[in-house]
Amino acid sequence: MSSAPPPAKKKARHDLAPSNPYLPAFRSALSSLPPSYPSLFSPSFDAGLRSSLFTAASDLGSALIDRYAWAVPSAEAVALIKSLGRPVVEVGCGSNAYWGSVLREAGVEWVGYDEDVEAGGLLSHDREAGNRGGRVDPDQGDEAVRSPGGADYARPPVLQGGAEKVKDHQSSALMLCFPDERGRLSLDCLENYTGDTIIHIGELVLGSTPPLASLPWGRSTCPEFQEALAAGWHKVADVPLPCWAHEANAATVWRRTLASEIVYADDDDDDGGGGEEGEDGGD
């Protein structure tokens, strides 16, 4: 008598596709707009219709920000971050910590900080937990939460703190997801970071230029941070994210650029001991 086949091994949690209710919610909201919406910024688009559609999309987007996050994670972006193979520290993660939830479920070692663990990152500061996707005391660990519309996700603990906390995580990749809507947290984090990897979520003038002329640097990180990023770092990966027509969001990974000296021999120095010095960027 043949023996029964051995039971299939249960997949480890980090082998499963992470739950990401934000993505179908975004797609549903996007599909509620007229088919002409993707051409919103075409020069031939009717100005009056552009205004009404922009307002409608902004209202839909604001509700999703309060429910989930400022940017929509994609499977490709999560896979990119996981492929780095290192812990991730996110400062300004917001009280929802939605990206942290998705990353942790994918097997990424993630820790998040925000100055306001109750309402950080929210456009609406309504204190009713049901309108913000739920809240968890950092001391209680993970807990399933139900946000409006029935989407469930496990909100990870959010620790209180700001840029100074980066000093405790120098071996981790520093992740920034729309930290600068009202300040310059990104630059403060960069100044406290001696590590070699930055994960930037959102808009950059160095990437796809945001379509709104009034916000040439985007809404994600301040100009001073982006200038410092361009001067001392180089981009090694770029994954576009699902977003509205007035956004240009992407998940990008940056490595610190190492400087090397170039010494030129002085023509008048027979022993070659003098010369000029220069710098050459290298990995």
Side-chain angles (χ1 to χ4, degrees), residues 105-233:
E105 190 169 343
V108 176
E109 184 181 337
W110 173 96
V111 62
Y113 294 91
D114 202 282
E115 292 283 6
D116 186 350
V117 298
E118 288 298 319
L122 301 180
L123 292 172
S124 168
H125 283 213
D126 186 346
R127 292 292 175 177
E128 292 181 12
N131 289 339
R132 298 200 304 272
R135 292 292 171 266
V136 177
D137 188 305
D139 295 330
Q140 295 178 353
D142 292 352
E143 180 177 310
V145 298
R146 184 173 297 276
S147 56
D152 296 321
Y153 65 95
R155 175 192 180 275
V158 177
L159 306 177
Q160 190 164 34
E164 75 284 352
K165 296 298 183 180
V166 173
K167 297 176 181 178
D168 300 329
H169 301 273
Q170 302 292 3
S171 62
S172 299
L174 171 62
M175 176 169 156
L176 299 168
C177 178
F178 279 85
D180 288 351
E181 174 66 6
R182 299 179 181 88
R184 45 161 276 169
L185 178 62
S186 60
L187 185 62
D188 293 339
C189 287
L190 186 61
E191 291 174 348
N192 282 313
Y193 185 57
T194 60
D196 62 4
T197 304
I198 291 175
I199 304 164
H200 185 281
I201 308 296
E203 298 175 319
L204 285 169
V205 75
L206 301 171
S208 298
T209 303
L212 298 183
S214 60
L215 297 168
W217 298 87
R219 300 174 66 187
S220 309
T221 44
C222 66
E224 295 82 4
F225 167 85
Q226 295 190 39
E227 290 172 350
L229 192 68
W233 301 73

Side-chain angles (χ1 to χ4, degrees), residues 84-105:
L84 298 177
R86 61 169 59 191
V88 172
V89 59
E90 182 180 0
V91 179
C93 65
S95 53
N96 283 336
Y98 184 77
W99 275 78
S101 170
V102 175
L103 290 174
R104 280 163 57 105
E105 190 169 343

